[in-house]
């Protein structure tokens, strides 16, 4: 089978042929049909992600496909079941073996591409906004990087939860995507000042920050008393400088959030969140936005779309059915 393999952190990943894996105890073999890409894949390819394994390994954190076999003592969906997997890696391959308990059956109306674009992005935004920030109807939610993979889901989920959503993104094309996702107000970060624009709208109650750097600083200065700031990621590459005295005076809460971490120490809220999200999907209230779909032999190009910030929503890599 073919897999997109990282052999060391100084060279780009390459598509190579390897032996088809055999499921071991507790594992499921999945015929992978699609895999969503994340900014974390770029970090992992350079050894800069918090959960980077030792090479060699394959990229791809959220594959979707069909279970074809179970290993001994595996407690998971039966062969033939369509599933999505939070694998953490190894999704950019034609087949993969994964912990059977991480294989989640798909609703009948969910395509493999939607499933591959769904889990991390929607799971991150829903857990962050609901479980962590306790976003309330009528509050003002400011989303930084609103046209990105997780940012766009924060716009959607914020609207479903009844918030007034302010989307911050670069350029008219990306802002139009945010508007279609339900944003109430749009801020072009290329030409407008986030602080001034948000303050003119009455200030921020919750800030969802996947960017960091100067945008964090601007949004921080536009926060209302008792605002909550969610640290989701640092796509700018610039870690923000926090002013604790300002947090104290305005009673601002700074919240770090890493979705995958809950698998290790508290999986129940994550499972409850995914159950709610799948219900919303079935009701047509949320719908993944996939801007680019490329085949496995163009996985390097797919990652470049993220690296160069040319995508909106999610980038998905597809695989042909195994013979």
């Amino acid at each position: 089978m073919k897999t997109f393999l990282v052999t060391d952190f100084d060279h780009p990943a390459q598509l190579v042929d390897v032996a088809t894996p055999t499921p071991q105890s507790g594992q499921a073999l999945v015929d992978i049909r699609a895999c969503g890409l994340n900014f974390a894949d770029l970090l992992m390819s350079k050894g800069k992600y918090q959960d980077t394994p030792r090479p060699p390994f394959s990229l791809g954190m959220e594959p979707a496909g069909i279970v074809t076999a179970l290993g001994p003592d595996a407690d998971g969906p039966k062969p033939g079941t369509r599933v999505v997997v939070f694998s953490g890696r190894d999704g950019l391959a034609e087949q993969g073996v994964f912990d059977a308990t991480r294989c989640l059956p798909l609703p009948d109306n969910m395509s493999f591409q939607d499933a591959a674009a769904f889990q991390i992005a929607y799971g991150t935004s829903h857990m962050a906004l609901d479980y962590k920030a306790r976003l309330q109807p009528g509050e003002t939610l400011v989303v930084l990087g609103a046209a990105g993979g997780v940012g766009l889901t924060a716009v959607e989920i914020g609207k479903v939860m009844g918030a007034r959503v302010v989307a911050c993104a670069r350029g008219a094309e990306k802002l139009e995507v945010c508007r279609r996702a339900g944003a109430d107000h749009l801020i072009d970060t290329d030409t407008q000042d986030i602080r001034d624009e948000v303050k003119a709208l009455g200030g921020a109650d919750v800030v969802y920050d996947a960017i960091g750097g100067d945008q964090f600083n601007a949004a921080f200065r536009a926060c209302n008393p008792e605002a909550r700031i969610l640290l989701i990621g640092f796509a700018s590459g610039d870690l923000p400088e926090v002013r604790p005295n300002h947090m104290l005076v305005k009673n601002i809460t700074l919240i770090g959030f890493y979705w995958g971490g809950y698998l290790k120490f508290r999986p129940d809220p994550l499972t409850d969140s995914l159950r709610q999200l799948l219900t919303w999907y079935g009701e047509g209230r949320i719908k993944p936005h996939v801007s680019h779909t490329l085949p496995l032999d163009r996985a390097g190009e797919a990652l470049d779309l993220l690296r160069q910030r040319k995508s909106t929503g999610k980038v998905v890599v597809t695989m042909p059915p195994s013979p």
Side-chain angles (χ1 to χ4, degrees):
M1 70 169 199
K2 295 186 181 298
T3 186
F4 197 63
L5 196 69
V6 175
T7 55
D8 66 74
F9 298 130
D10 295 324
H11 298 88
Q14 298 289 330
L15 192 64
V16 299
D17 287 305
V18 299
T20 300
T22 300
Q24 303 302 309
S25 178
Q27 292 183 326
L29 176 65
V30 177
D31 185 18
I32 300 171
R33 300 296 178 84
C35 183
L37 297 186
N38 295 273
F39 189 75
D41 289 304
L42 296 178
L43 297 177
M44 194 179 294
S45 70
K46 297 298 183 181
K48 297 180 179 180
Y49 190 59
Q50 58 260 32
D51 283 341
T52 300
R54 291 183 178 181
F57 64 89
S58 297
L59 298 173
M61 301 178 72
E62 47 184 340
I66 301 173
V67 175
T68 57
L70 293 174
D73 303 316
D75 183 16
K78 296 180 180 179
T81 305
R82 301 165 66 252
V83 296
V84 66
V85 188
F86 177 69
S87 62
R89 64 179 191 178
D90 296 336
L92 288 180
E94 291 177 330
Q95 293 177 286
V97 289
F98 309 105
D99 185 332
T101 62
R102 292 194 179 188
C103 298
L104 182 69
L106 299 181
D108 291 340
N109 66 335
M110 180 175 268
S111 69
F112 289 122
Q113 290 187 31
D114 276 1
F118 187 85
Q119 194 172 199
I120 293 176
Y122 281 103
T124 293
S125 292
H126 183 249
M127 282 277 288
L129 293 173
D130 183 47
Y131 183 73
K132 298 293 287 185
R134 306 296 184 187
L135 179 67
Q136 299 299 308
E139 289 191 312
T140 296
L141 167 66
V142 174
V143 182
L144 307 181
V150 293
L152 202 59
T153 63
V155 172
E156 280 190 273
I157 290 171
K159 286 302 295 181
V160 172
M161 294 178 67
R164 181 175 67 152
V165 179
V166 181
C168 304
R170 301 178 62 182
E173 182 178 349
K174 290 187 175 182
L175 287 172
E176 174 58 22
V177 173
C178 298
R179 186 194 64 77
R180 292 199 300 267
D184 299 289
H185 302 279
L186 308 173
I187 296 176
D188 188 337
T189 57
D190 279 340
T191 60
Q192 295 174 288
D193 183 273
I194 292 174
R195 175 181 178 271
D196 291 345
E197 297 294 330
V198 173
K199 286 182 71 68
L201 293 170
D205 299 308
V206 175
V207 175
Y208 182 101
D209 180 17
I211 302 297
D214 291 341
Q215 292 196 29
F216 170 91
N217 295 331
F220 183 96
R221 296 171 66 194
C223 281
N224 292 326
E226 293 194 323
R228 290 87 76 201
I229 302 176
L230 289 156
L231 296 180
I232 305 299
F234 311 104
S236 67
D238 186 5
L239 299 180
E241 295 183 4
V242 179
R243 297 185 177 183
N245 57 323
H246 290 187
M247 293 177 61
L248 184 153
V249 171
K250 297 179 73 173
N251 288 287
I252 291 174
T253 302
L254 193 63
I255 305 171
F257 182 74
Y258 169 45
W259 183 83
Y262 279 85
L263 288 168
K264 300 176 182 178
F265 67 88
R266 188 173 293 171
D268 288 349
L270 188 150
T271 302
D272 292 342
S273 171
L274 286 176
R275 187 177 296 113
Q276 177 65 75
L277 289 167
L278 289 172
T279 297
W280 284 348
Y281 179 93
E283 294 171 350
R285 302 180 74 184
I286 55 177
K287 171 71 174 177
H289 174 80
V290 178
S291 65
H292 296 82
T293 302
L294 287 82
L296 181 60
D297 60 6
R298 296 175 63 190
E301 295 176 51
L303 287 168
D304 282 340
L305 290 169
L306 295 183
R307 186 178 292 109
Q308 299 167 13
R309 300 184 188 179
K310 292 184 177 179
S311 61
T312 55
K314 294 287 284 189
V315 176
V316 172
V317 172
T318 58
M319 298 75 171
S322 297

